[in-house]
């Protein structure tokens, strides 16, 4: 009989299997508490691909709405708005998305529906302005739009913090925005400028119960500062890292446990198998989920053994194959056309994502000097590797996960 596989390599982790992040959650909950009490606090969550940014945001969303109790402050009751940015999201789309989300959440009360349609009336008007804003990138139009938006948002927030009679079901602690994949933001969106102006205007309108939680790859930080120099200072920054050994095992145990709840046939996993998954994942949550998923899938006798874990990790169509397809192979095989450039990456990957001297690479590289120099320039330009600004002639791979994949797998799929 086929079992339902409880591991989730392709989506944010269900709250029951969520591991670690205590310090981050502690900090974020403090922010919710501050915001609830009229001291808006904003957060920037950054980290490598698949490190668990969206999962952390999803968990925090449940804490914000009161579906999960916070660790220290009991239940919160915020209105939450989830936005995922793409490179096509412009200011108009962003504002429309927010307005739609708010109406959906609060518009169930008749009187509030009327209030919302009056307060957000400008959104109807901008429908006609779309194209002119897109083309002309007219600064004053953008400022007017941000001004209207901030005013409507603050009015809406005030209405739910102190609800009128018959609107008690809309009573909230404030509003939390979860803006994910913000590294996708196009220069047109001027994301840093947007946050800077909106937060200032909200303050001017005495609206202090709104929290922005913005997540993305590390390059988001640069994007924000290009768009507005001081926008970074609006945020408390959280850098998400690998899970500890104990946390990795917790994820595996919780997964097996939840599998046993939904499947009639039970599954166990040996300590040695857990160690294999924990070690080869190096604490990357998406690796843990994928190795566990593949081991669960590979097992045929209800006992996941060390051998199941190893075989399912390395076989064709196994865990590493899947991880590579999802995250790295397009980088490695499509974006990098030359075998020599790939060789440079493989040499660098031996040191994971630590700095490596050009002379060390040269000692192992089979091509000539000029090719090596060209490769380093091209790979740096494409942000696949980083150049050390404080030490001349040192480079490193941008992502540890990518380094790990190249090391284990990059040479196999020639
Ligand atoms: N705290 C956690 N506990 C257990 N599993 C986790 C945790 N965080 C993330 N995962 C798992 O790791 C994988 C990647 O998580 P997630 O999508 O949250 O990462 P991300 O940083 O948002 O990735 P991306 O950069 O691709 O958007 C998913 O399979 C998810 O289930
Ligand atoms: Mg994500």
């Amino acid at each position: 009989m086929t079992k339902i596989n409880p591991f989730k390599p392709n989506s944010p982790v269900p709250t029951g299997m969520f591991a670690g992040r205590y310090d981050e959650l502690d900090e974020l909950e403090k922010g919710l508490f501050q915001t609830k009490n009229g001291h808006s606090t904003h957060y920037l969550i950054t980290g490598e691909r698949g490190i668990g940014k969206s999962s952390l945001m999803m968990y925090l969303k449940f804490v914000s709405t009161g579906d999960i109790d916070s660790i220290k402050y009991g239940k919160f009751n915020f209105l939450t708005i989830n936005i995922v940015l793409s490179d096509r999201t412009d200011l108009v789309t962003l504002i429309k998305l927010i307005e739609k989300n708010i109406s959906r959440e609060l518009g169930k009360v008749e009187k509030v529906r009327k209030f919302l349609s009056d307060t957000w009336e400008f959104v109807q008007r901008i429908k006609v302005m779309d194209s002119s804003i897109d083309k002309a990138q007219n600064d004053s139009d953008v400022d007017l739009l941000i001004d209207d938006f901030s005013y409507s948002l603050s009015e809406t927030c005030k209405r739910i913090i102190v609800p009128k009679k018959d609107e008690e079901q809309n009573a909230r602690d404030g509003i939390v925005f979860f803006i994910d994949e913000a590294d996708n933001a196009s220069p047109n969106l001027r994301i840093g400028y947007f946050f800077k102006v909106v937060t200032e205007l909200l303050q001017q309108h005495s609206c202090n119960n709104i929290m922005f939680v913005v997540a993305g790859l590390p390059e988001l930080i640069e994007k924000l500062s290009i768009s507005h120099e001081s926008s970074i200072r609006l945020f408390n920054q959280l850098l998400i890292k690998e899970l500890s050994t104990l946390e990795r095992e917790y994820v595996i145990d919780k997964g097996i446990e939840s599998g046993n709840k939904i499947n009639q046939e039970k599954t166990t996993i040996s300590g040695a198998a857990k160690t294999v998954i924990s070690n080869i994942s190096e604490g990357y949550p998406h690796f843990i989920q994928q190795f566990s998923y593949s081991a669960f899938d590979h097992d045929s006798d209800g006992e996941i053994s060390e051998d199941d874990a190893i075989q399912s990790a390395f076989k064709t169509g196994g865990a590493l194959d899947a991880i590579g397809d999802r995250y790295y192979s397009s980088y490695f095989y499509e974006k990098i056309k030359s075998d020599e450039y790939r060789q440079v990456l493989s040499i660098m990957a031996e040191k994971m994502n630590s700095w490596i001297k050009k002379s060390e690479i040269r000692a192992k590289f089979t091509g000539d000097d000029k090719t090596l120099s060209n490769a380093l320039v091209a790979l740096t330009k494409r942000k696949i590797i980083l150049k050390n600004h404080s030490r001349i002639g040192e480079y490193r791979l941008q992502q540890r996960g990518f380094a790990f994949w190249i090391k284990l797998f990059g040479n196999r799929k020639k």
Side-chain angles (χ1 to χ4, degrees):
M1 193 163 69
T2 334
K3 293 183 195 171
I4 300 168
N5 198 319
F7 292 99
K8 298 262 181 278
N10 299 320
S11 52
V13 66
T15 52
M17 223 192 288
F18 184 89
R21 313 300 186 213
Y22 296 108
D23 293 345
E24 291 85 352
L25 279 169
D26 187 49
E27 176 60 37
L28 290 160
E29 283 185 1
K30 217 182 291 164
L32 289 174
F33 179 73
Q34 289 284 105
T35 305
K36 173 178 173 168
N37 290 291
H39 297 268
S40 284
T41 311
H42 312 293
Y43 290 91
L44 193 60
I45 299 176
T46 57
E48 287 182 18
R49 258 233 172 285
I51 199 74
K53 303 175 290 294
S54 302
S55 298
L56 178 61
M57 294 244 271
M58 197 168 95
Y59 193 92
L60 185 69
K61 177 195 146 73
F62 288 124
V63 176
S64 314
T65 52
D67 289 314
I68 296 178
D69 284 0
S70 68
I71 308 166
K72 290 190 181 152
Y73 308 98
K75 265 191 201 309
F76 287 108
N77 180 25
F78 281 92
L79 173 70
T80 60
I81 311 276
N82 301 305
I83 305 279
V84 179
L85 293 186
S86 81
D87 55 2
R88 294 181 310 276
T89 315
D90 59 12
L91 185 61
V92 173
T93 316
L94 178 65
I95 290 177
K96 280 184 182 171
L97 273 173
I98 294 173
E99 187 267 337
K100 219 167 115 187
N101 268 278
I102 290 181
S103 301
R104 199 183 297 143
E105 288 287 331
L106 300 176
K108 285 159 205 146
V109 181
E110 176 74 37
K111 249 168 51 189
V112 178
R113 243 196 331 269
K114 169 84 175 70
F115 161 80
L116 288 175
S117 81
D118 290 348
T119 312
W120 292 86
E121 187 267 334
F122 79 99
V123 175
Q124 305 309 319
R125 270 186 289 128
I126 55 172
K127 272 183 188 145
V128 231
M129 285 163 55
D130 275 6
S131 57
S132 65
I133 281 186
D134 244 13
K135 284 204 192 82
Q137 270 303 305
N138 187 323
D139 283 356
S140 60
D141 278 352
V142 167
D143 286 338
L144 283 174
L145 207 55
I146 294 183
D147 190 74
D148 273 337
F149 168 75
S150 308
Y151 177 75
S152 308
L153 185 60
S154 62
E155 288 302 296
T156 307
C157 191
K158 285 179 200 163
R159 181 96 172 198
I160 58 176
I161 288 168
V162 188
K164 301 209 175 326
K165 197 171 166 288
D166 304 329
E167 292 175 22
E168 289 79 6
Q169 76 174 87
N170 273 346
R172 295 292 203 294
D173 295 336
I175 304 178
V176 186
F177 284 90
F178 293 101
I179 302 182
D180 202 359
E181 314 247 332
D183 54 282
N184 280 334
S186 80
N188 275 349
L189 185 57
R190 288 190 259 181
I191 185 171
Y193 181 73
F194 174 79
F195 286 125
K196 177 76 184 168
V197 179
V198 169
T199 49
E200 274 175 11
L201 288 174
L202 288 174
Q203 229 169 2
Q204 281 175 26
H205 296 310
S206 309
C207 166
N208 299 307
N209 305 80
I210 289 184
M211 172 159 147
F212 288 103
V213 184
V214 183
L217 297 173
E219 54 253 41
L220 167 60
I221 295 176
E222 200 189 334
K223 267 204 174 158
L224 281 164
S225 22
I226 290 173
S227 158
H228 192 289
E229 254 180 8
S230 67
S231 61
I232 282 296
R233 292 206 301 273
L234 301 169
F235 298 97
N236 294 321
Q237 292 196 38
L238 296 173
L239 177 67
I240 309 300
K241 298 248 176 70
E242 295 92 326
L243 294 174
S244 72
T245 313
L246 275 178
E247 290 161 355
R248 302 171 203 177
E249 299 216 348
Y250 175 89
V251 176
I252 304 170
D253 286 337
K254 282 287 159 185
I256 296 290
E257 208 180 292
S258 82
N260 285 339
K261 277 189 199 139
I262 45 179
N263 290 305
Q264 261 183 348
E265 266 179 60
K266 303 299 168 212
T267 306
T268 59
I269 182 161
S270 75
K274 276 197 277 187
T275 306
V276 167
I277 295 175
S278 164
N279 285 343
I280 53 179
S281 75
E282 295 212 338
Y284 274 80
H286 76 265
F287 284 10
I288 304 172
Q289 295 284 344
Q290 184 65 58
F291 286 125
S292 306
Y293 181 95
S294 299
F296 191 96
D297 192 55
H298 183 84
D299 165 62
S300 53
D301 60 3
E303 283 173 38
I304 302 176
S305 62
E306 187 178 6
D307 199 44
D308 288 327
I310 295 171
Q311 282 197 30
S312 62
F314 297 98
K315 72 179 181 184
T316 310
L320 278 168
D321 231 351
I323 289 167
D325 285 350
R326 197 169 316 130
Y327 288 98
Y328 306 125
S329 66
S330 78
Y331 247 54
F332 203 62
Y333 295 105
E334 284 157 36
K335 288 201 185 150
I336 304 160
K337 297 279 183 235
S338 142
D339 278 342
E340 280 158 321
Y341 286 19
R342 273 192 286 273
Q343 195 199 0
V344 171
L345 290 178
S346 299
I347 296 169
M348 293 180 72
E350 285 168 28
K351 291 194 80 170
M352 296 300 285
N353 65 338
S354 308
W355 295 110
I356 177 167
K357 291 201 187 75
K358 187 177 174 184
S359 55
E360 282 177 76
I361 306 174
R362 189 185 293 125
K364 293 180 181 165
F365 185 57
T366 54
D368 58 27
D369 249 25
K370 184 146 188 281
T371 313
L372 175 58
S373 299
N374 289 344
L376 292 172
V377 170
L379 293 169
T380 307
K381 221 175 183 173
R382 279 182 246 165
K383 296 211 160 114
I384 294 170
I385 64 173
L386 299 173
K387 191 174 174 167
N388 194 343
H389 290 296
S390 42
R391 273 168 186 260
I392 295 174
E394 276 195 4
Y395 298 85
R396 70 173 178 84
L397 281 163
Q398 165 116 296
Q399 294 187 14
R400 209 175 140 80
F402 185 38
F404 182 51
W405 177 80
I406 296 175
K407 219 167 112 166
L408 287 164
F409 199 56
N411 290 327
R412 218 195 72 181
K413 203 174 169 180
K414 280 263 163 71

